[in-house]
Amino acid sequence: MEVWDDHEAVVGALRVRRALPRRERRTVGAWCFADHMGPADISATTGVDIAPHPHTGLQTVTWLLDGELLHRDSLGSEQVIRPGQLNLMTAGHGVAHSEENTGAFRGSLHGVQLWIAQPESTRHGPAEFAHIAAPPEAELDGVGGRGDGHATVLVGTWGGLTSPARHDSELAGVELSVLGSAEVPLRADFEWALLVLTGAVEIGKQPLVPGRFGYLGLRREVLPLRARERSRVLLIGGRPFAERISMWWNFVGRSHEELSDARAAWQNGEGERFGRVASPLPALEAPPTPWAPGR
Ligand code: MN
């Protein structure tokens, strides 16, 4: 397992630990972005409030361990998400959304947001939003009766279970809750990576803690996981993504030109490509592109 430190980033008023993308590794399967948010205290004056912004060519996957968030999007969706539930938004050609405090909630916010790059076959298609109230769950096999584990399949297929969340390529996103030793079956034709959400685990003799990202690669059939305290881990994997993606700001495309076009459509604010979000927050402005126009 290769282990990297996440890098710190700020989203809205929230400090996050970004595991993906990184220079050494742009994607794991079609997974192209992973932010670990919090735990952070949400009070009357400090919260999340990520103002309306656009996306293209990707799916956003939101999963909370603590707290709550209000999702609004330009399809007219308005959905509160709580721990144990999944929000999945498919951007296709274009969508806009906001992530806001629910107003009533005070306390700890802790969760992840991941992006999945859409393949050529669906990335120009319509946007879609889904809320999965209860993703499928399974018990994990302990080793020699010494383990106790539980898995929740957020996206894709794992261990014979398939999440009802839409997936456009072969992949899996699974949350594991483990105490003691557990053996986690893996598909050998997927590449896999791990992010520790709470606690600490060992993979063989290698420790992994929150703030670090473990890349397991291909050709593994089982992941031996050990946790001395109850730990929650996010396991992501997929068939290596064959398409070369360009990512900038909130857009996934295939070229600078496509990304510049998406930026222009958002900045022109005509609302045709991305629609409008019924949010009290003023929409975010796109930053300037780091490449020269016409490149
Ligand atoms: Mn977003």
Side-chain angles (χ1 to χ4, degrees), residues 11 50-51 53-55 58 60 89 96-99 113 115 250:
V11 177
I50 302 164
H53 59 275
H55 286 291
L58 61 90
T60 63
M89 185 179 72
H97 74 148
S98 65
E99 283 150 307
Q113 190 175 87
W115 297 353
N250 295 305

Side-chain angles (χ1 to χ4, degrees), residues 191-203:
E191 55 180 340
W192 295 96
L194 280 177
L195 211 151
V196 181
L197 303 172
T198 66
V201 297
E202 288 162 40
I203 294 94

Side-chain angles (χ1 to χ4, degrees), residues 216-234:
L216 296 156
L218 284 155
R219 291 182 287 282
R220 283 175 187 258
E221 288 182 346
V222 67
L223 171 67
L225 207 57
R226 194 155 65 114
R228 294 168 199 269
E229 57 180 301
R230 167 71 56 188
S231 300
R232 293 171 72 176
V233 177
L234 187 71

Side-chain angles (χ1 to χ4, degrees), residues 22 38 41 59-60 81 145 149 171 193 196 217 219 222 241 265 276 280 294:
R22 49 189 318 118
D41 279 328
Q59 295 180 294
T60 63
I81 179 172
L171 52 76
V196 181
R219 291 182 287 282
V222 67
F241 199 63
R276 291 182 196 289

